[in-house]
Structure formats: structure tokens, C-alpha cells
Amino acid sequence: MSEEGVFYQFKHFIVGKPIPSHLAHHERLSRVTGLAVLSSDALSSVAYATEEILRVLILVGVGALSFVSPIAFVIAAILAIVVFSYRQTIHAYPSGGGAYIVAKENLGEMPALVAAASLLIDYILTVAVSIAAGVAAITSAFPPWQSYRVEIALGFVLILMLGNLRGIRESGQIFAVPTYFFILTTLTLIVVGAWHALTGSIHPVTTDAPMLVATQPLTLFLLLTAFSNGCTAMTGVEAVSNGVPAFRPPESKNAAATMLTMAVLSITMFLGITLLAQAYHVFPSDQETVVSQLARGVFGYRGVAYYAVQAATMLILVLAANTAYADFPRLASILARDRYLPRQLMNQGDRLAFSNGIVGLSVFASVLLIVFRGDTHALIPLYMIGVFVSFTLSQAGMVVRWRRLQTPGWHSHAIVNGVGAAVTGVVLIVVAVTKAHEGAWLIILLIPINVLFFRATRRHYDKVSSQLSLKGWQKARVRHNTVLVPISGIQRAVVGALDYAKTLSGDVRAVYVNMDPAETERLKSQWAEWGEGVPLVVLNSPYRSLMEPLLEYVEKLNVSSPGDYVTVVLPEFVPARWWHNLFHNQNALLIKGALLFKPNTVVTSVPFHLQE
């Protein structure tokens, strides 16, 4: 693969341009590299999904931990349904079928904006949750670092931000290292743990600081809460459907195969970790992750294999966070192109990165990490609302698409996507109900607020566009231009500004605000010699205000000659050193700001450069 590699593909994919023909084969993602590049988010979620189930069940007691396996199998079945449903989206949208695109084309503006708002929030939380979980893997291996988890997390965010701003020259091989390292170590953990279980050589794991066992009753609501926690295992599924154009031809076939492989690996690792956690009697702890405890129990206390598992877990989670640095800026740029977000989010840096989107994502994720103290378990309740809103809207949009096009076999396709929409919709309701009191209400509130902001932004741009349109425009008459030169006395900068002003119009006036009668008389006596024949207008200021008389005079000219121009030429010092500005007032800046909002008023500066 050449130096540009897969990152060159993504630059073209993100910008929305076709991939050049000379990169037709070797630069595109194969199934192997596609799994590494696009599946890290989905695969990494198995590192904390089982633990989130256990943290709820332990509230009932040790006996309730036996429910972890049935809950995990239900989640695995739902994940299989979602993946099978999304495979149809891949074939239907070979150019990339994100929830916003699918909903916009099939459901209309409002559902599309809801999907976009959900996805943007989801990407921010992907960074926060993945990095927090990655730091938890580090602090589990090195407990003394526990008190520095926020600082470590912010350090990872800074590294990812700077790397993406610089335009990391990623390649499939680079992505493959942490992804396949994680797959290898996790499957090895599961195989060795299963061998111990089959041979009866399991030794239950001892946990230094297990969560306190509560005495809550085992209720349906609590089981649903545990189920909703475990549904984090389904996050990241949509990434492959977004990245279809990056695959080698046939793109849809390779992307669908990659998604199937991702699903098989995710389900295998999720169920394997869950069954081992039950077999080794792992208790959730605030000091050590479930995966860390399993690695200790399977490989020994803290051997090489243990540290390999922890390192692989940390790397895959940081890589999962990095996927949001492609998705968030890309979606933000699409929304900005559609005039739902400020156009600054469409700006690309010199490395073809959406710099504003990258910085914004980093800031929002950092705020979450600081507010929630880098605690994965505190962030999880916020995470899944956006995920399942986008799942549901995307699959519902596909049902509408099949009904509209009625291609051969559309009934079966619609049933598959309909089942996917129904299942994810039910999960969404369960997650919203069970997690609302844990903080998910904030996301439920933020989604409509974001939608309102999108619509307000669109209305603003539509109004600006209508006012800038040439439709019905008629050429204006030749306008008179009155040029004003505000002065504070006679000096070289003023004379230079007067010379420039006379090139603009025959009606030039020097304006002086009288705040000292003696100084005003001295100026009048010098004006005949240095005024260049320009009339001097003296404005009285009974309250010793500089700005108010000048603004009133400009307003008077605008009223007396509506439609004519008033140009204000400001003599402005340019100091030799930047810190010399501290010794000079900023009246020119204040005048510019005050006149900016007056119609038919132009402000320009004539710089006078001071020497050392």
C-alpha cells in the first residue's frame, strides 16, 4: 500500500468526492483492513458490556448474577437481527447509508434531523466512553494511577485531536495492529478460560474492592435495566454501512461480509466474556474492570498474558474513540452543507481535515470526561439513547424505501428492516425508561434542542440567501459618497488619511469632537495650513463623549440623504511592536464596531506605521 494509503481514501470519502480511478484497487479497503478500520467501535464495546450488566444485577445479590447469561444471549440475538437488517442498508446505499442520509431520503426533514442530532451526541459520547474505558484498563493494571484517570483521559483526547488536525496518515495495516491484537488476546482469554472450565481447574477470582451487595428486590424493571446496560455491546454497528465507498469493488459485497464477520466476532467475544465472568464468579468493582479480573483468573495474577490483554483492550478502545474523529466532522460538514449547522464546520485545514469539527468534538468530550470524572459507568447511561434512535430511524427509513421502490423481493426486504426497526424501537423505549433517572433525561432533552438549533440555523441561512438573491434586483442609481475623516488633532497620520479620502469623493469632511475649547481653537488656527482644503466639522460634546456625537452626525447624513454612501476613513497607528498597542487607545476599533451595523456606511482604515 502506498504512503497515502487508506487515509487518502477517507479524505475523499469524507469530502464526498469520488475516489480517483488510479486508486481503484490497491488503495481501497479489503475485508481484512475494513474489519480493522471500521469495526473497532463495535468490537471494543465487549470490553465493558458484560461489566455493565453485572453492576446492576449485584444490587440484588450474588444469586442474581446467574441472570447475566440469559440477558447476554438476548442481546446477542438482537445484535444479530440489527446486523442482518443493516446488511440490506449496505446493498441499498453503496455510497454510504448513514441514518441521516437514509432518514432524509425516506422519512423527511424532521426524522433526519432527529437522527443527525442523535448521531452527533453519540459520536461525542463514543469518544468520552471509549477513552474512559481505555483508561480504566490502564488503571486496572496499574492501580496507583487510579487518581489520575481524568488527566490521562484528557491526554488521550489531546493526542487524538492533534493527530487528526495534523492529518494522521493512517493505513489499514496500522489500524489492524490494535484491532487484531485485541481479537487475538480476547479469543485466547476465552479459549484458555473455557479449557480451565472444562477441566475443572477454575479458581474463582478474588476482587480487592468489590461493589457492595445491596438488598434490592429482583424486579422486572431491574432486569430491564441490566438488559439496557448490556445493549452497549451493539454500539458501532452503523460504522460499516457509513463506510461502504471505502471498500474494494464490489463495495457492497465486501462491506456486507465485513459486517457479518464483525457480528460473529462481537457476539463470540461478548458471550465468551459473559460466560467466563459467571464461571469465575467475577464481582464488579470500581477499582478493576471485569476483563482485568478475568485475565488475572485465567492467566495468573499479573503475568505477560495479563498485561497483553490490558494493553490490547486499551488500544482498541482508543482506536474506537478515533473513529468518531472521522464520523463527527464528516456528519457536521454534511449538515453544514445542508445549512443546518454553521458553515465554519465545512472548512478544511491544509491537511484536508475538518478542523472546526475536530476541535469541537474534543472540547465536548473533554467536558464530559471532566464532569463525570472519567467514570465509564457514569457515562454509559447517556450513551445508548442516541445509538438506538439512529438505529430505529434508519431501519424505518429502509422500510419506507422498499415500499416506495417496490423492487423485486421488496416484501421480504421490508419485513427484515421492519423487524430491525421494531426490535431497536423496543430497546430504545426500554433504555429511555430505565436510564432516564440515571442521566439519560439529559440526552432526551438535548436531541430536540439540537433539532431546534438545526432548524433555526436553516431559517437564518434561508433568509440570508433570499436577501442576497438577484431575483427582482434592479441596478441602483449612481450614489453620492460623503467621506468623513474623524481626527483628534493635526499630525502625519491625519494628513495621510485626508490625502486618501480625497481620492474617494469630492465631498470630504474632517470631523473633530470638541471636548476642550482651547484645544479646538488651536486646531482651527492650524487647519488652514494643514487641512488640505478639506472642510472641518466641529461637533460639540457636552458630556465629553467621543462616540456619541460622531454616531449622531453619521445618522443625520443617512437621514438627510437616504440611499447615499457615508464612508468613514480612520487614521490608524500601527506600532512597531505588538506590545506597543498597550500604550495607545483603541478608538478606531470602537468606531468600527459601532458603525458596522449602520446601513450604507463604509469604514476603512489608513495605516500609519510607526518606526522603532
Side-chain angles (χ1 to χ4, degrees), residues 484-487 509-517 520 523-524 536-557:
L484 307 180
V485 184
I487 64 174
R509 309 173 194 180
V511 180
Y512 179 77
V513 178
N514 177 19
M515 291 189 290
D516 184 345
T520 301
L523 173 65
K524 288 180 179 180
L536 176 64
V537 178
V538 178
L539 304 176
N540 292 320
S541 179
Y543 301 106
R544 303 186 61 80
S545 169
L546 174 66
M547 295 290 297
E548 188 175 345
L550 177 60
L551 296 177
E552 288 179 353
Y553 187 67
V554 172
E555 183 65 26
K556 184 192 220 177
L557 292 175

Side-chain angles (χ1 to χ4, degrees), residues 343 458-469:
R343 289 179 177 172
R458 177 61 184 261
R459 284 195 300 270
H460 167 75
Y461 282 128
D462 287 346
K463 289 180 181 179
V464 171
S465 179
S466 65
Q467 293 181 48
L468 294 177
S469 173

Side-chain angles (χ1 to χ4, degrees), residues 277-493:
Q278 187 173 357
Y280 278 79
H281 304 291
V282 173
F283 290 85
S285 168
D286 290 327
Q287 305 299 318
E288 186 179 9
T289 64
V290 165
V291 172
S292 174
Q293 294 181 57
L294 279 178
R296 282 198 294 110
V298 173
F299 296 124
Y301 184 63
R302 293 189 187 273
V304 174
Y306 167 81
Y307 286 108
V309 170
Q310 294 306 101
T313 303
M314 181 273 291
L315 288 172
I316 192 69
L317 286 164
V318 173
L319 182 58
N322 191 57
T323 60
Y325 277 90
D327 293 334
F328 181 94
R330 171 184 169 272
L331 177 58
S333 71
I334 293 174
L335 288 168
R337 182 192 65 196
D338 292 344
R339 297 187 290 185
Y340 290 115
L341 280 178
R343 289 179 177 172
Q344 292 90 326
L345 292 169
M346 293 175 61
N347 297 341
Q348 290 179 289
D350 56 356
R351 307 228 173 206
L352 294 182
F354 293 105
S355 304
N356 293 330
I358 291 170
V359 173
L361 173 61
S362 303
V363 170
F364 291 137
S366 298
V367 169
L368 286 175
L369 288 168
I370 293 171
V371 171
F372 291 92
R373 302 298 302 163
D375 186 355
T376 310
H377 315 299
L379 288 165
I380 287 293
L382 309 180
Y383 192 18
M384 291 168 291
I385 296 291
V387 175
F388 284 97
V389 167
S390 62
F391 280 172
T392 305
L393 288 174
S394 176
Q395 298 311 297
M398 287 299 299
V399 174
V400 174
R401 182 181 189 276
W402 297 126
R403 287 175 58 86
R404 187 181 74 251
L405 298 179
Q406 296 192 2
T407 53
W410 72 270
H411 286 96
S412 59
H413 293 320
I415 290 173
V416 171
N417 287 123
V419 171
V423 169
T424 55
V426 170
V427 175
L428 172 61
I429 295 172
V430 171
V431 170
V433 172
T434 58
K435 295 300 177 186
H437 69 287
E438 296 182 34
W441 64 266
L442 179 62
I443 306 303
I444 297 172
L445 180 64
L446 280 177
I447 290 175
I449 289 176
N450 278 350
V451 171
L452 292 175
F453 177 73
F454 294 158
R455 291 178 63 85
T457 304
R458 177 61 184 261
R459 284 195 300 270
H460 167 75
Y461 282 128
D462 287 346
K463 289 180 181 179
V464 171
S465 179
S466 65
Q467 293 181 48
L468 294 177
S469 173
L470 292 175
K471 183 178 181 180
W473 181 82
Q474 295 181 350
K475 189 174 180 179
R477 61 178 176 81
V478 177
R479 298 183 180 185
H480 178 73
N481 186 15
T482 302
V483 181
L484 307 180
V485 184
I487 64 174
S488 59
I490 295 292
Q491 26 85 355
R492 292 187 181 186

